[in-house]
Structure formats: C-alpha cells, structure tokens
C-alpha cells in the first residue's frame, strides 16, 4: 500500500465513528492547548520580570542602609549610609555614575488638583543610573544639590493626574507648602522592579532632606545606586565597595556589614532561574492532560480492534501480513494524534495571543517550543498509544477472526 492508500484507509476508519473519534481528538486538543498556554504564560511572566529589571541594566548596583535580616529581624542601625559614602564610591575607577537616594511619599498640589505620589531625592547622576530620558525640559545639576534648589522633575503620569499642561515646564507645584518649579518631565517608561517610573517627583536630595523633611540626619540616605562602566567586573567592584564602606564605618573585622549590596546582574540571573523552573512546573502540570489524551487514543484503538476483528481476519485471509495490520492501526492512531495536536496548537496560540494582547494588555512572546511540542506529540503519543492495539490486531488468528461475530 502507498502512503496515500494508508492515509485514505485511516481516514475512512476514523470517520466511520465520528462521535468517538471527535471525543478522542478533543482529549489531545485540550492537552496540547494546555501545554501551549502554559508555555506562553511562563514566557510572558519571564519577559515581564526581565523587562522590569533590564530597565535598570545589568551593570547597576544598589547599596541599601542597614544590616541584612537575621531570623526575620533587621539588625544594625538603618542610618548607616551618607552622601559622603556615595561620593567616595563615585570615585572608584569602574563607577560611571552614582547617586544617593532618599525616598518619601508626597501629596503634590497643583492649582485645585492634588495627587499622592512618591518623591525621590537624588543627585544629577540618577539620570544616567536609571537611564532616564527627558520628554520636556532638563535634569537639575550639582549646583541645585549644593543650594537645595526648589526644582522638580515629574513623571508623565503625575503630570496627567494633576491635569497639567502638555508641557508643564515652568509650572509651580507644592509639596508640604513648599513651592517647587517643574524643570523637566520624563518620558514614559512603565513599571519596573522598583515600582512605577511614570508617577514620581524627583528633586535634589538636599531639598528633600533640609526643606521638606527637616531630618536630624541631613547627610544620611536610605540607598546609594550606581552604574558601572561597560565591561566592568561586578564582583570586583562589590569587593571594593565593601572594603571602602567597612573602613569608613569603622567596622571591626568580626562585625557584620551595616549595609546591603544588591547586584542587578545576579538578581536577573536568579529571576531567570526561578521563572525557568516555574515554566517547567506549569508545563509538567499541563502534560498530565496529554497523558490522559494518549490513554483515550489507546482505548479507542483497542475498542476498534475488537469491533474490526472480522475485518482483520478477512485482510489476513487474502494475504495481508502482520506488518500491514500494524501499519494500518498505527497510522490511525498517529492521524488522530496529529489532528488533535495541530488543532490544540492553533487554539493554544490563538487564545494565548488574544487574551494576552486584548484582555491583559501584554505582548505575549511566540515561542517555537509549542510547535515542537505539537509535532512531537503527534508522533510520540500516536505511536505510544497505537503500538499495543496494533500488535494485538496483528497477532489475531485469521480463522478465529473470521468466526468472530
């Protein structure tokens, strides 16, 4: 028999019992569709996390004040980093730009509008560290930091919530009755690992500490963030920072660090590992439905062998060999699996792309893995499910088969 003969014969056999064949194919459709959707979910989550962290760059390092947590309790003094620490770190040869950072919440007032947002006190180097781009205006300079100038950079969402003009540069906003002149608006960036980058007010750190907070520790900061030169060795720079800060803080050799250093490169690698395991777990769970679908194919083929016992006897009586019978039943199983796999692939891709883009608002990445999975399922599941029924059919005695009613 030619390939076309085998395919035609298989199709006639399958279409002879439409309801049973449809339910069997449906099992494979659901299994493959579940795998495709789970792969899409895993890759979408991985991409979202990667995009959030990559906006900071892998050559970014953050230093937080306070010792690491021990048994759920933070040890050491939280006021452990200063602006002078940041300036000394900024002199290291591999540091391209740096900025001390102090965060606070703020109620911003513009005209008769007010909006609760986050306020960030920084140095001018914050613009380079965070890869900020200006939509309007410009960033403040070091002179504004020295003079504690009342300048503000706002995010586009903040400007929108306050109903400010399209270009609000030169407008006056108020925080705690302190007037601040808007000198710049950042471009839209969306959310990042550190929160929304479009809803914030960025001001000189001295303005925040002296004019708005009136802190008893005007030089203390909660964090220092810095960007390294391209090609810099992150691990080496971290060692240099650790040695520098321990010396400046007069820590004994056996004393724990009173600061925490977070390397964004290591964080991204760890997150990639976690999301990879999560994707594998989701696929493994979805694969259970594939197993159920393959059992459905095997069950259908066994029933088909029982129903077609007399047909098999006639085939063998007129000269069909065992391998012909095996090929016939295997081809039927593979055809069922192939139809289910292709339909599952189309439904899975369609649902994941449609729901992701039009319902969730996410750009779902298309991976070649669902295609590989579908083709593999069509072959492997079809063969695995059809081998036993095919072998059983091939071993039937033609005389006994002809007597079967």
């Amino acid at each position: 028999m030619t390939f076309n003969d085998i395919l035609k014969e298989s199709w006639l056999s399958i279409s002879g019992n439409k309801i049973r064949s449809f339910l069997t194919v449906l099992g494979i459709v659901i299994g493959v569709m579940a795998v495709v959707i789970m792969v899409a979910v895993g890759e979408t989550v991985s991409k979202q996390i990667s995009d959030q962290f990559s906006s900071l760059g892998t050559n970014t390092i953050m230093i937080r004040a306070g010792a690491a947590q021990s048994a759920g309790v933070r040890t050491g003094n939280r006021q452990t980093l200063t602006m002078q620490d940041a300036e000394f770190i900024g002199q290291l040869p591999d540091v391209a730009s740096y900025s001390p950072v102090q965060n606070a919440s703020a109620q911003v007032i513009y005209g008769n509008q007010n909006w609760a947002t986050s306020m960030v006190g920084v140095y001018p180097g914050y613009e380079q560290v965070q890869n900020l781009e200006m939509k309007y205006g410009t960033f403040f300079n070091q002179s504004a930091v020295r003079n504690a100038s009342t300048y503000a950079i706002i995010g586009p969402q903040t400007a929108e919530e306050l109903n400010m003009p399209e270009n609000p540069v030169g407008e006056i906003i108020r925080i705690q009755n302190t007037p601040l002149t808007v000198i710049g608006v950042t471009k839209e960036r969306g959310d990042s690992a550190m929160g929304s980058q479009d809803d914030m007010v960025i001001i000189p750190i001295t303005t925040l500490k002296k004019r708005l907070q009136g802190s008893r520790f005007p030089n203390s900061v909660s964090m220092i963030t810095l960007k390294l030169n391209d090609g810099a060795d992150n691990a080496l720079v971290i060692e240099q920072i650790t040695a520098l800060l321990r010396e400046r803080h007069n820590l004994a050799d056996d004393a724990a660090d009173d600061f925490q250093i977070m390397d964004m490169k290591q964080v991204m690698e760890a997150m990639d590992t976690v999301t990879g395991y999560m994707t594998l777990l989701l696929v493994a769970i979805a694969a259970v439905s594939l197993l159920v679908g393959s059992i459905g194919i095997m069950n259908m083929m066994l029933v088909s062998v029982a129903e077609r016992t007399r047909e098999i006897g006639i085939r063998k009586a007129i000269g069909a060999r065992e391998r012909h019978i095996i090929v016939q039943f295997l081809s039927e199983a593979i055809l069922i699996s192939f139809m289910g796999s292709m339909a599952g692939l189309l439904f899975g891709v369609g649902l994941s792309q449609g729901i992701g883009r039009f319902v969730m608002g996410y750009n779902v990445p298309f991976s070649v893995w669902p295609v590989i999975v579908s083709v593999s399922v069509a072959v492997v599941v079809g063969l695995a499910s059809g081998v036993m029924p095919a072998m059983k059919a091939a071993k039937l005695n033609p005389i006994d088969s002809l007597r079967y009613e």
Side-chain angles (χ1 to χ4, degrees):
M1 296 177 67
T2 65
F3 176 78
N4 290 335
D5 293 333
I6 295 174
L7 186 62
K8 182 179 179 181
E9 189 71 22
S10 300
W11 173 251
L12 290 174
S13 176
I14 293 172
S15 59
N17 198 322
K18 294 181 176 61
I19 295 179
R20 186 170 65 196
S21 299
F22 171 76
L23 293 176
T24 305
V25 170
L26 184 62
I28 298 298
V29 170
I30 294 174
V32 173
M33 184 173 64
V35 171
V36 171
I37 292 176
M38 290 301 102
V39 170
V41 168
E43 292 190 347
T44 301
V45 172
S46 178
K47 185 177 183 300
Q48 292 292 323
I49 295 175
S50 178
D51 289 346
Q52 289 180 1
F53 280 99
S54 62
S55 64
L56 301 176
T58 57
N59 59 342
T60 302
I61 292 177
M62 297 181 181
I63 310 166
R64 294 185 178 276
Q69 291 185 353
S70 176
V73 179
R74 183 183 292 275
T75 59
N77 185 4
R78 291 180 61 88
Q79 304 291 338
T80 56
L81 295 177
T82 65
M83 297 184 198
Q84 288 72 28
D85 288 336
E87 292 168 1
F88 272 91
I89 291 173
Q91 296 175 13
L92 293 174
D94 284 322
V95 175
S97 54
Y98 72 96
S99 174
V101 178
Q102 187 70 36
N103 294 290
S105 58
Q107 193 75 22
V108 186
I109 299 174
Y110 173 73
N112 62 352
Q113 303 291 324
N114 67 84
W115 178 249
T117 185
S118 59
M119 183 169 50
V120 187
V122 297
Y123 274 13
Y126 188 79
E127 180 182 12
Q128 288 74 39
V129 173
Q130 295 292 319
N131 297 320
L132 294 178
E133 295 183 46
M134 304 304 297
K135 184 177 182 180
Y136 300 111
T138 184
F139 214 85
F140 52 78
N141 55 26
Q142 194 62 30
S143 175
V145 174
R146 288 194 301 268
N147 299 326
S149 301
T150 54
Y151 295 151
I153 312 294
I154 63 175
Q157 183 180 345
T158 306
E160 180 181 353
E161 297 292 346
L162 293 173
N163 291 328
M164 301 186 76
E166 175 66 22
N167 184 355
V169 173
E171 300 292 327
I172 303 296
I173 60 176
R174 303 183 70 86
I175 298 178
Q176 298 179 8
N177 293 323
T178 300
L180 300 171
T181 302
V182 176
I183 64 171
V185 180
T186 60
K187 290 184 178 180
E188 293 184 3
R189 302 184 69 195
D191 293 337
S192 74
M194 308 303 293
S196 175
Q197 301 178 94
D198 296 334
D199 185 15
M200 64 173 59
V201 177
I202 305 172
I203 62 177
I205 192 168
T206 49
T207 305
L208 173 62
K209 301 289 287 187
K210 297 176 181 179
R211 294 181 183 270
L212 299 178
Q213 288 187 332
S215 174
R216 294 182 301 164
F217 308 98
N219 290 322
S220 65
V221 296
S222 60
M223 183 171 65
I224 298 172
T225 182
L226 53 105
K227 174 174 284 188
L228 306 183
N229 293 319
D230 294 337
D233 186 340
N234 290 34
L236 178 60
V237 175
I238 290 175
E239 291 181 4
Q240 294 172 345
I241 294 173
T242 301
L244 174 62
L245 291 179
R246 288 185 64 86
E247 180 181 355
R248 283 186 52 78
H249 297 177
N250 297 317
L251 297 177
D253 293 340
D254 57 347
D257 295 336
D258 58 358
F259 53 87
Q260 303 169 68
I261 300 178
M262 183 168 60
D263 182 1
M264 296 308 299
K265 182 178 181 180
Q266 294 180 350
V267 171
M268 288 187 65
E269 290 174 351
M271 292 306 301
D272 287 342
T273 301
V274 171
T275 54
Y277 283 127
M278 181 192 70
T279 302
L280 287 177
L281 177 61
L282 292 175
V283 172
I285 294 173
V288 173
S289 57
L290 275 178
L291 177 61
V292 175
S294 65
I295 294 174
I297 294 178
M298 183 180 296
N299 180 64
M300 174 185 172
M301 298 308 299
L302 287 172
V303 172
S304 180
V305 170
E307 291 179 345
R308 296 161 63 187
T309 300
R310 185 174 181 83
E311 174 192 332
I312 295 170
I314 294 174
R315 286 175 178 266
K316 299 188 76 172
I318 62 177
R321 299 180 180 180
E322 289 188 1
R323 62 185 179 87
H324 295 147
I325 305 298
I326 293 175
V327 168
Q328 182 61 46
F329 279 87
L330 281 181
S331 63
E332 292 178 18
I334 293 175
L335 182 58
I336 291 174
S337 181
F338 181 80
M339 292 189 297
S341 298
M342 294 302 104
L345 173 64
L346 294 176
F347 280 117
V349 172
L351 286 175
S352 60
Q353 294 290 328
I355 294 175
R357 294 186 179 183
F358 301 111
V359 179
M360 305 297 294
Y362 292 145
N363 185 20
V364 179
F366 178 78
S367 174
V368 71
W369 285 109
V371 178
I372 296 176
V373 167
S374 300
V375 176
S376 300
V377 165
V379 177
V380 175
V381 172
L383 286 174
S385 304
V387 166
M388 184 182 296
M391 295 299 295
K392 180 178 180 181
K395 296 298 182 182
L396 288 176
N397 188 297
I399 298 177
D400 294 335
S401 300
L402 290 172
R403 293 174 179 172
Y404 184 83
E405 294 293 339

